[in-house]
Amino acid sequence: MHGSRAGIDRIAMIEALAHKALWLSNWMIHHANHIRPNPDGVKVGGHQASSASMTAILSALYFGVLRPEDRVAVKPHAAPVYHAIQYLFGRQTRDKLLAFRSYGGAQSYPSRTKDTDDVDISTGSVGLGVAFTAFASLIQDYVRLKPWARRDWGEGRMIGLVGDAELDEGNIYECLLEGWKHGLRNTWWVVDYNRQSLDGVVREGLYERIEAIFSAFGWDVVTLKYGARQRRAFAEPGGDRLKAWIDACPNDLYSALMFRGGPAWRERLADEIGDQGPVTALLDRRNDAELAALMANLGGHCVESLLEQFEAVTSDRPTVFIAYTVKGWGTPLAGHKDNHAGQMTTAQIEGLREAMGIRPGEEWERFAGLPQAPADIERFLATVPFARTADRRLASPPVATIGPQFVGTGPTSTQAAFGRILDQIARSDSDMARRIVTTSPDVTVSTNLGAWVNRRHLFAPREQVDLFHKERIPSTQKWQFTPEGQHIELGIAEMNLFLLLGAAGLSHSLFGERLLPVGTLYDPFISRGLDALNYACYQDARFLLVATPSGVSLAGEGGAHQSIATPLIGMAQDGLASFEPAFADELAIIVDWAFDYMQRDGAARVDLADWPRDISGGSVYLRLSTRTIEQPPRPMQAPLAADVIRGGYWLRRPEPGCEVVIAYQGVLASEAIEAAGRIGGDRRNVAVLAITSADRLNAGWHAAQRARRHGDAAATCHVEALLAQVPRHAGLVTAIDGHPATLGWLGSVFGHRAITLGVEHFGQTGSVSALYRHFEIDARAIAEAAGSFVAGAR
């Protein structure tokens, strides 16, 4: 193919576009560092060298190989060259490039929510974007095997562009293992093997480790070590000795010689392998510039070699391409071990401009300096497979919810109630039920998903019988694997859970079919996957996270299974609405609301502007408990249901003579109610405030304050409406099985005195009652704190 005239023209065109992308990315960075006013004095460092090393790889993919249905996670520091390539396609604006790293400009790291140039998968925290591609492939298989899947969109490859230093990240290997379990397909990882990390040169022998690890997990390994120019040189007399020298050369020496250039190469090669014969003749046939270009012609910089290897892959097996590159390729920074923080000087950028044939004043012109005519370039770009579709962001209509599923008024825990709610949804066989996909990191049964899985089964591309059932061994779990199954079972790795939830929560945009993902885990272990949870929210993925048990209620397991900070995580995490209901009827209302909230996109429902994110929607976190408590026998009427969603309601309203308010969140409802009885008796001097979401109350309060600062004097919020009923002399006692700061801010709303009770330290093994006494969140401690506000108390 590449030997034909058309193939040669195509390669030449892509090579030219690659060099243009290299220029634009470097000019963008130089503009940000030296031309645009930069009051903060912060310079762009690592992008310059890292982006350059990926230029040929990205160019071969975008201008040659990618199809509209393929999805790409671009290495974080390759953002400038990615933006430059999109600019050449006409999918990025000059204004955005001019404002690179400025407010409203092209983002430092590719972002599907902040950038405007069709980013598929956000990257930033290294390793996460890479692993995300594997879970996106798994979700693609899940969707395509369902009878309701759309058939007008092709099966894409999920492609991760990986820095070799990213392979230090543990989530990469957790992902590899999970992919092996699930028969991973249609996944490419292209490793930018420039043998440099942020602080230095990568260890010798890494290549052998990479190859062995990927092969062990069933991946095909393709090595791109030598470019076409090098391979032609190896075919010359003496070329075999040059190849042997390259293979034996240590990473740091190769990088150092790359930085020093042609004369240094000639001196070293002549000294170590020169023989006054074939090798000497091979070197003498090239001047210093040609020799430097030959030694820089590694596989990852050779468009011809890259296209050959990419296009040679015809199977759907996962494939890793190990592409040898030089960090800073094509720039004066190439190979230097300090180039991660390096910045090109004005003289250096001017020299690069002249070498590219770009006249002053034409630095931003899309095709300036290219040998091909602009019309020919435009025609070529119009025929590139990637450009066949103008908009690669897909859409799927919202799925109608079926209403709250109430599960009775008998004593129960919120965890058990959630399991029954999901079971009732499964029985409905509604479209909503069909779109739910559940997942859990090896705690499916202990987080009460068992009934759902029994009805909806586990997902696998091929049918697998439940051998226990086949052998007639009694079991409450029917572990049947089928393509129609709706539960994806994961191993114990919370990073994988959140990456899978992120991929499933973007299915409507990536694959054109909406899913309603539900993930369950133990609440303490949210922290183990917090980076991936933050990453999923940053991508605006939509999912329901159900975490249990909350606080110290799993007392018998000790402190390692008890959570303290998770309520604060729920409040602080952007894109995540956090709830901690106490009662099953509250939970039923919240779950129904959550499935609607997860699907909002801001295009409608202006009436939902009560709370800042209610129009645009997001993901939802439920902090549940395994503690069984008595349920209030009450009708869930519309005003109460609305207050549950707003974040709180009066369980016992304050009277004019109210002296103290007990405000609780979550499972401490029983203790709060008992404490109110101890203090108040028949007197109406104690009110009880049930908080279902400190997150929503706090966000609404901040939104009201912001609105008032901007001139809306009448702006108010739900927590202000609630606490306005409390006399100013009254005190607040807040109580939560979690960090007391979760509710501690309530006293600031109107200046009420406050005592905040909660858990601040690791617990230990014991009974719930013993630990509640120890942390002073039991009914006695709450009553004593409340008593200090009652008339006559000191």
Side-chain angles (χ1 to χ4, degrees), residues 17-33 44-56 58-59 77-88 97 100-101 328-331 344 349 352 356 358 363-364:
L17 289 167
H19 281 85
K20 184 64 183 184
L22 177 68
W23 161 257
L24 284 168
S25 62
N26 280 283
W27 179 246
M28 188 191 324
I29 295 165
H30 183 77
H31 186 272
N33 281 341
V44 183
H47 288 92
Q48 200 127 37
S50 294
S51 191
S53 71
M54 290 290 287
T55 300
L58 266 75
S59 298
H77 277 136
V81 75
Y82 168 80
H83 293 310
I85 287 171
Q86 301 308 309
Y87 180 63
L88 292 173
L97 300 190
F100 176 62
R101 285 178 66 105
W329 173 76
T331 75
M344 291 175 65
I349 199 74
L352 185 62
M356 296 280 185
I358 298 169
E363 290 87 356
W364 294 109

Side-chain angles (χ1 to χ4, degrees), residues 573-627:
Q573 181 60 59
D574 187 23
L576 192 69
S578 172
F579 291 84
E580 187 174 359
F583 302 118
D585 58 354
E586 298 169 352
L587 179 61
I589 294 296
I590 293 167
V591 168
D592 178 63
W593 174 87
F595 282 125
D596 175 73
Y597 180 76
M598 287 159 56
Q599 302 181 72
R600 297 177 189 172
D601 63 3
R605 306 288 301 273
V606 179
D607 58 304
L608 295 171
D610 260 9
W611 190 68
R613 285 191 63 109
D614 272 358
I615 295 174
S616 57
S619 292
V620 180
Y621 160 39
L622 306 182
R623 189 174 189 251
L624 305 185
S625 177
T626 52
R627 260 189 93 205

Side-chain angles (χ1 to χ4, degrees), residues 49 117 130 140 170 273 331 439-440 568 571 588 595:
D117 52 354
V130 184
Q140 179 177 240
I273 57 174
T331 75
T439 185
S440 187
L568 298 176
M571 292 179 68
F595 282 125

Side-chain angles (χ1 to χ4, degrees), residues 83-212:
H83 293 310
I85 287 171
Q86 301 308 309
Y87 180 63
L88 292 173
F89 272 118
R91 298 186 176 201
Q92 177 62 286
T93 67
R94 182 180 298 190
D95 287 345
K96 294 288 186 181
L97 300 190
L98 283 164
F100 176 62
R101 285 178 66 105
S102 289
Y103 183 78
Q107 296 294 296
S108 303
Y109 306 131
S111 170
R112 63 175 288 113
T113 58
K114 308 297 182 186
D115 277 314
T116 59
D117 52 354
D118 197 24
V119 174
D120 293 315
I121 298 167
S122 301
T123 54
S125 185
V126 293
L128 293 180
V130 184
F132 186 93
T133 59
F135 291 103
S137 182
L138 196 160
I139 291 298
Q140 179 177 240
D141 284 348
Y142 177 93
V143 168
R144 291 182 65 83
L145 288 169
K146 297 296 183 282
W148 37 259
R150 64 186 293 174
R151 306 299 175 192
D152 61 339
W153 188 255
E155 188 174 79
R157 293 166 296 207
M158 305 297 113
I159 301 172
L161 304 181
V162 191
D164 50 9
E166 285 189 271
L167 296 177
D168 287 348
E169 291 287 346
N171 65 276
I172 295 277
Y173 303 97
E174 293 176 351
C175 157
L176 285 175
L177 182 57
E178 202 64 56
W180 171 79
K181 293 178 187 175
H182 289 277
L184 182 65
R185 304 187 314 126
N186 291 317
T187 304
W188 286 8
W189 289 357
V190 185
V191 179
D192 176 22
Y193 192 55
N194 60 40
R195 291 153 290 169
Q196 283 187 255
S197 60
L198 272 62
D199 292 330
V201 178
V202 166
R203 300 272 181 166
E204 295 294 333
L206 177 62
Y207 168 77
E208 289 79 8
R209 305 285 80 73
I210 296 173
E211 183 181 39

Side-chain angles (χ1 to χ4, degrees), residues 10 12 31 202 208 213 251 260 278 346 351 360 374 386 393 407 437 455 547 560 563 611 649 678 711 742 754 776:
R10 174 175 177 249
H31 186 272
V202 166
E208 289 79 8
I213 289 168
N251 291 339
R260 293 179 61 197
T346 298
F386 173 77
R393 291 280 179 104
V407 293
V437 54
R455 293 189 188 280
S563 61
W611 190 68
Y649 62 92
R678 290 188 181 195
T742 309
E776 297 185 336

Side-chain angles (χ1 to χ4, degrees), residues 243-504:
K243 179 177 181 295
W245 186 91
I246 291 174
D247 288 343
C249 183
N251 291 339
D252 52 357
L253 175 59
Y254 208 95
S255 294
L257 292 171
M258 280 295 308
F259 179 74
R260 293 179 61 197
W265 279 117
R266 187 176 304 280
E267 179 183 355
R268 176 70 63 156
L269 292 170
D271 181 56
E272 296 195 2
I273 57 174
D275 60 353
Q276 304 304 312
V279 175
T280 300
L282 186 153
L283 299 179
D284 288 347
R285 282 193 293 272
R286 294 160 173 87
N287 61 31
D288 286 347
E290 291 168 338
L291 181 58
L294 171 65
M295 301 307 289
N297 183 234
L298 301 175
H301 299 314
C302 178
V303 167
E304 181 178 345
S305 300
L306 288 162
L307 290 174
E308 284 177 356
Q309 294 299 331
F310 289 153
E311 292 172 345
V313 177
T314 57
S315 78
D316 63 2
R317 285 171 54 84
T319 302
V320 59
F321 300 88
I322 304 175
Y324 279 69
T325 62
V326 173
K327 194 170 182 179
W329 173 76
T331 75
L333 306 175
H336 198 291
K337 71 180 183 69
D338 297 338
N339 60 15
H340 179 78
Q343 300 143 28
M344 291 175 65
T345 65
T346 298
Q348 288 172 329
I349 199 74
E350 283 298 309
L352 185 62
R353 182 185 59 74
E354 291 178 8
M356 296 280 185
I358 298 169
R359 292 192 292 268
E362 294 186 347
E363 290 87 356
W364 294 109
E365 295 301 318
R366 286 170 65 209
F367 306 137
L370 297 184
Q372 295 86 352
D376 291 339
I377 299 172
E378 292 282 17
R379 277 194 295 271
F380 172 79
L381 290 174
T383 65
V384 168
F386 173 77
R388 286 200 304 262
T389 302
D391 188 0
R392 296 167 61 252
R393 291 280 179 104
L394 305 179
S396 182
V399 177
T401 59
I402 63 173
Q405 303 297 299
F406 297 106
V407 293
T409 58
T412 189
S413 69
T414 46
Q415 185 205 57
F418 175 76
R420 292 203 298 275
I421 289 170
L422 212 56
D423 186 39
Q424 289 190 180
I425 293 173
R427 292 170 185 261
S428 73
D429 202 30
S430 59
D431 189 32
M432 187 181 94
R434 286 188 287 273
R435 296 293 176 139
I436 291 174
V437 54
T438 60
T439 185
S440 187
D442 204 38
V443 288
T444 296
V445 176
S446 53
T447 55
N448 270 71
L449 286 181
W452 164 268
V453 175
N454 282 344
R455 293 189 188 280
R456 291 287 167 171
H457 309 303
L458 293 103
F459 170 74
R462 290 174 296 280
E463 192 93 20
Q464 299 175 37
V465 299
D466 182 347
L467 284 175
F468 273 69
H469 179 71
K470 183 179 179 181
E471 296 296 328
R472 299 177 182 175
I473 300 173
S475 172
T476 57
Q477 306 305 321
K478 303 179 180 67
W479 293 105
Q480 179 182 349
F481 290 84
T482 170
E484 291 76 37
Q486 291 180 239
H487 178 75
I488 299 174
E489 181 68 5
L490 298 173
I492 307 174
E494 283 75 15
M495 294 289 282
N496 285 344
L497 170 75
F498 290 120
L499 289 169
L500 178 60
L501 286 175

